[in-house]
């Protein structure tokens, strides 16, 4: 028997975007705009920071496993606490779902080039991982419905999707759900929910409280708490009860839980972040489109560009780095000809547009 299972030996680990310090050292630059990791350019919610600071005197005590946050979320969304779980980011809960519900003969079904974090977690379990192609950069829910078989256990849907930024509609989800057996779990990853929730076409999963749907959300994006690692999920109480058996006993941390509770109360910060993001999306979509780039319409806090080849995508990424602009190449997702650009501050967004006009010409893509 091998020490490392073959499916782990062959697994490609998650590759994080490049950091500001890394780029500064390599290129000797002073002004760098990081637009690679879908982070909130406003920083963390001030209310969340204050709430975190108030917990520091009690860090010698073990956390209560997110119970306070679960109660706040239950009240806010008119649920029972038993319907809510909190964890180390939505990916922490995603990992628990895979550990809890997948058996050796089960299969996972999703789109090609799905969120890389899910790809790594699902493939680390060693089960069959099946995909269907995108349709115009959207989830092809009809094809996914036809791909369900007797071994399908989990279907992963990200809405809005990362890395494309696209959504599927209420009507599309309703049609899809009619084909999903009750024994199949649907993960609805809504990490970018706040950016899309006001779109009337968007199917907020809180209106789909089905027994086999697990909703995942995070404080990493709109609330600017990526470094704290705090996320949450909603599901039927039986699913949550089994997830609680598997999750680490004191997860999330005291500081992370306090940050989440504080962030939920910070309406003013949420409003400012949404306004800033809307300006960034408008600028990128119009300006980059006018340059001749293929910009996929986005409902998140980033845009995806589809280039003519993987070589063009790599060259454009390199040219932007030389200008002090960090973007996300998507080869690790399975889209080697694409890059993703997060929205930043108004200044960073304009710097990116100006750099794209120069870098694109050098890379031969505009």
């Amino acid at each position: 028997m091998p020490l490392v299972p073959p499916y782990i030996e062959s697994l490609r680990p998650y590759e994080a975007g490049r950091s500001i310090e890394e780029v500064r050292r390599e290129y000797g630059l002073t002004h760098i705009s990081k637009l690679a990791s879908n982070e909130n350019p406003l920083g963390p919610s001030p209310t969340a920071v204050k709430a975190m600071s108030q917990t520091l005197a009690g860090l010698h005590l073990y956390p209560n496993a997110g119970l306070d946050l679960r109660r706040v979320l239950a009240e806010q969304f008119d649920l029972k606490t038993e319907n809510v779980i909190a964890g180390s980011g939505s990916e922490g809960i995603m990992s628990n779902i895979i550990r809890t519900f997948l058996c050796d003969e089960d299969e996972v079904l999703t789109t090609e080039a799905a969120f890389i974090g899910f790809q790594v977690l699902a493939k680390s379990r060693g089960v069959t991982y099946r995909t269907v192609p995108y349709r115009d950069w959207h989830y092809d829910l009809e094809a996914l419905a036809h791909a369900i078989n007797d071994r399908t256990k989990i279907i992963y849907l990200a809405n809005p999707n990362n890395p494309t930024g696209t959504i599927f509609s209420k009507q599309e989800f309703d049609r899809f759900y009619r084909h999903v057996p009750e024994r199949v779990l649907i993960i609805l990853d809504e990490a970018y929910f706040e950016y899309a929730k006001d779109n009337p076409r968007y199917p907020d999963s809180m209106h789909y409280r089905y027994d086999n749907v697990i909703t995942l959300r995070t404080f990493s994006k709109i609330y600017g708490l990526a470094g704290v690692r705090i996320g949450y999920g909603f599901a039927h109480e039986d699913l949550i009860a089994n997830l609680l058996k598997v999750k680490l006993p004191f997860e999330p941390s005291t500081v992370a839980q306090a940050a989440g509770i504080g962030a939920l109360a910070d309406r003013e910060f949420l409003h400012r972040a949404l306004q800033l993001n809307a300006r960034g999306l408008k600028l990128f979509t119009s300006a980059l489109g006018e340059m001749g780039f293929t910009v996929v319409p986005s409902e998140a806090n980033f845009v995806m560009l589809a280039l003519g080849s993987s070589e063009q995508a790599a060259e454009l990424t390199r040219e932007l780095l030389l200008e002090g602009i960090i973007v996300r190449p998507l080869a690790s997702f399975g889209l080697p000809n694409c890059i993703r650009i997060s929205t930043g501050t108004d200044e960073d967004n304009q710097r990116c547009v100006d750099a794209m006009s120069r870098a694109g010409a050098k890379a031969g893509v505009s």
Side-chain angles (χ1 to χ4, degrees):
M1 294 290 289
L3 176 64
V4 180
Y7 54 86
I8 298 295
E9 188 75 44
S10 62
L11 186 64
R12 183 176 179 177
Y14 180 85
E15 298 175 14
R18 303 189 70 172
S19 70
I20 292 174
E21 287 304 317
E22 178 187 357
V23 173
R24 179 177 288 123
R25 286 195 303 269
E26 182 172 347
Y27 293 93
L29 301 170
T30 55
H31 192 174
I32 297 172
S33 299
K34 185 186 178 189
L35 304 177
S37 301
N38 305 341
E39 296 153 333
N40 191 327
L42 294 177
S45 154
T47 307
V49 172
K50 181 179 179 180
M52 285 189 283
S53 68
Q54 293 172 345
T55 69
L56 300 182
L59 293 186
H60 61 296
L61 302 174
Y62 282 103
N64 68 0
L67 182 59
D68 294 340
L69 176 59
R70 292 171 63 204
R71 286 169 173 161
V72 170
L73 288 164
E75 181 177 358
Q76 179 165 321
F77 290 97
D78 191 25
L79 297 166
K80 296 185 294 184
T81 304
E82 290 78 11
N83 295 123
V84 186
I85 189 170
S88 297
S90 54
E91 284 177 89
I93 304 170
M94 203 181 293
S95 175
N96 289 329
I97 293 171
I98 289 167
R99 292 171 57 206
T100 302
F101 298 110
L102 284 178
C103 300
D104 291 346
E105 300 304 314
D106 291 335
E107 295 184 357
V108 171
L109 179 62
T110 187
T111 187
E112 65 179 8
F115 168 52
I116 186 62
F118 178 77
Q119 290 191 50
V120 172
L121 288 171
K123 292 175 182 178
S124 72
R125 179 59 180 81
V127 300
T128 299
Y129 180 92
R130 294 191 300 120
T131 64
V132 301
Y134 283 119
R135 183 173 60 189
D136 191 25
W137 300 115
H138 290 71
Y139 271 89
D140 190 341
L141 293 183
E142 183 178 353
L144 280 168
H146 287 138
I148 297 171
N149 62 32
D150 291 341
R151 294 172 60 185
T152 305
K153 172 64 75 67
I154 289 176
I155 298 175
Y156 173 81
L157 307 175
N159 203 33
N161 183 42
N162 178 15
T164 66
T166 55
I167 64 170
F168 49 80
S169 69
K170 293 178 180 179
Q171 185 179 33
E172 289 169 326
F173 182 76
D174 288 339
R175 284 199 304 266
F176 166 76
Y177 187 79
R178 288 196 288 267
H179 297 278
V180 180
E182 293 181 359
R183 60 174 174 77
V184 175
L185 292 177
I186 300 173
I187 298 177
L188 275 178
D189 185 348
E190 294 181 347
Y192 301 91
F193 157 76
E194 289 86 0
Y195 298 105
K197 65 183 178 62
D198 292 329
N199 186 330
R201 296 179 58 250
Y202 181 71
D204 178 353
S205 67
M206 294 311 295
H207 300 144
Y208 296 88
R209 296 182 182 181
Y210 300 144
D211 291 352
N212 61 337
V213 172
I214 302 176
T215 295
L216 298 181
R217 292 180 183 169
T218 184
F219 290 97
S220 296
K221 308 304 180 185
I222 194 75
Y223 292 109
L225 296 175
V228 178
R229 311 309 303 129
I230 180 71
Y232 57 99
F234 302 122
H236 187 279
E237 57 196 76
D238 290 345
L239 298 180
I240 297 295
N242 282 291
L243 287 172
L244 290 175
K245 298 174 186 176
V246 172
K247 73 182 289 292
L248 295 174
F250 297 111
E251 179 195 29
S253 72
T254 299
V255 173
Q257 176 177 227
I261 294 172
L264 288 171
D266 201 342
R267 302 292 183 182
E268 190 273 336
F269 180 82
L270 182 69
H271 180 67
R272 284 198 297 127
L274 287 171
Q275 286 188 318
L276 176 60
N277 183 66
R279 293 196 300 272
L281 286 182
K282 183 178 180 180
L283 176 64
F284 284 160
T285 302
S286 60
L288 300 182
E290 289 173 3
M291 293 179 198
F293 290 100
T294 299
V295 185
V296 178
S298 175
E299 297 288 341
N301 66 338
F302 57 85
V303 296
M304 190 182 83
L305 306 186
L307 287 307
S309 67
S310 58
E311 291 77 15
Q312 286 185 334
E315 182 63 16
L316 179 59
T317 300
R318 191 186 75 84
E319 290 292 339
L320 288 171
L321 282 174
L322 294 173
E323 297 255 4
I325 308 293
I326 308 174
V327 300
R328 185 71 144 112
L330 296 175
S332 63
F333 281 69
L335 298 173
N337 65 315
C338 298
I339 65 171
R340 191 188 65 197
I341 307 175
S342 309
T343 60
T345 64
D346 292 325
E347 178 189 1
D348 285 338
N349 294 338
Q350 189 59 55
R351 284 191 73 232
C352 179
V353 167
D354 294 342
M356 286 287 288
S357 66
R358 297 184 292 270
K362 292 178 181 179
V365 294
S366 67

